[in-house]
Amino acid sequence: MKPARLVSSSCSLEKVLQCSCSFHGVPVPYVRWWMKGDILGIDGMDDGPQLTSTHMGPWANSTISLAEIPEMGTSLLCEGKNSHGVHSMTITLMSIKSSFITQTFINGFFQGLAYGSIATALLFLCLIPFIVKHIRRKLAKKIVAIKAERNTKDRECQGSNADLKPEEPEESTVMTSSESQRLDLEMYIWEHQTLEPSYLY
């Protein structure tokens, strides 16, 4: 003879909230579910929570399905009982609902992030022509400034080169020896003609 003992329990949230408990005992335990002091579910009923129980030897498994998710903080009690004892476990549904809310928030956050990224990309694509135009204007101004600076430097270089140009040497007359002798002879004759004595007249 063994008293009822809880072996495992779990809850999952998909379309409906499902919680399961598994008990072991001899004789096989009888499983009941409680919420807010009321017993939940009866096998085969269509209305309200759906309860499914299976027995295999000393094992008793029970699953309850709740179409409507209870309020946050609601406690769900799983109880296994036989003639030698009672064992129960309280499941607080706050974590289940909060995780559902958190998942919804996360999904909404990522959707908003995706939509925001798409909107930003579209805005950037619309602004590309204006950005390119602005960049071209800046480049054109820069090129004009560089050309003006280069022309100024060229003019300064040309002015300094003109100031430093050497003066042309004066032309000098070079006479040959024969021309020099002829010139001396002409000078000699001119002097003697000028200095001729007056008594000859």
Side-chain angles (χ1 to χ4, degrees):
M1 304 296 180
K2 295 181 180 181
R5 181 172 62 87
L6 179 67
V7 178
S8 64
S9 63
S10 63
C11 284
S12 63
L13 179 62
E14 294 179 359
K15 293 182 180 180
V16 296
L17 174 65
Q18 286 188 341
C19 292
S20 299
C21 285
S22 179
F23 289 89
H24 180 272
V26 179
V28 61
Y30 176 74
V31 183
R32 292 188 298 181
W33 293 87
W34 299 76
M35 181 183 290
K36 297 179 181 180
D38 297 328
I39 298 176
L40 298 177
I42 299 175
D43 288 346
M45 290 190 63
D46 294 332
D47 297 333
Q50 298 296 312
L51 182 65
T52 303
S53 297
T54 58
H55 300 85
M56 184 177 293
W59 300 91
N61 299 315
S62 180
T63 300
I64 190 169
S65 299
L66 300 173
E68 294 183 3
I69 300 175
E71 295 179 0
M72 189 179 299
T74 302
S75 296
L76 185 64
L77 178 66
C78 178
E79 180 187 74
K81 180 179 179 180
N82 64 7
S83 57
H84 298 284
V86 178
H87 194 183
S88 61
M89 178 181 178
T90 301
I91 302 171
T92 302
L93 301 178
M94 181 183 296
S95 59
I96 296 174
K97 191 163 185 178
S98 61
S99 64
F100 174 73
I101 294 172
T102 303
Q103 185 65 32
T104 303
F105 171 76
I106 291 173
N107 291 338
F109 172 77
F110 281 110
Q111 286 180 357
L113 186 63
Y115 293 149
S117 300
I118 293 171
T120 303
L122 291 174
L123 179 62
F124 180 74
L125 290 174
C126 292
L127 290 176
I128 282 178
F130 298 98
I131 295 172
V132 172
K133 189 175 181 180
H134 178 69
I135 292 172
R136 286 180 177 176
R137 283 182 179 177
K138 290 186 71 176
L139 288 175
K141 289 181 180 179
K142 193 170 183 180
I143 290 170
V144 170
I146 291 172
K147 286 184 177 179
E149 185 179 356
R150 188 174 296 172
N151 291 336
T152 303
K153 289 182 178 180
D154 291 343
R155 289 174 184 172
E156 291 177 355
C157 291
Q158 289 176 0
S160 61
N161 290 336
D163 294 340
L164 296 175
K165 185 176 180 181
E167 295 182 357
E168 294 182 358
E170 295 182 356
E171 293 183 358
S172 59
T173 304
V174 178
M175 293 185 297
T176 63
S177 59
S178 58
E179 290 177 346
S180 176
Q181 292 175 0
R182 181 179 178 184
L183 181 63
D184 292 341
L185 181 60
E186 289 177 354
M187 289 294 294
Y188 175 78
I189 294 171
W190 181 80
E191 288 176 356
H192 280 75
Q193 286 178 351
T194 305
L195 297 177
E196 187 173 324
S198 56
Y199 65 86
L200 295 177
Y201 295 94

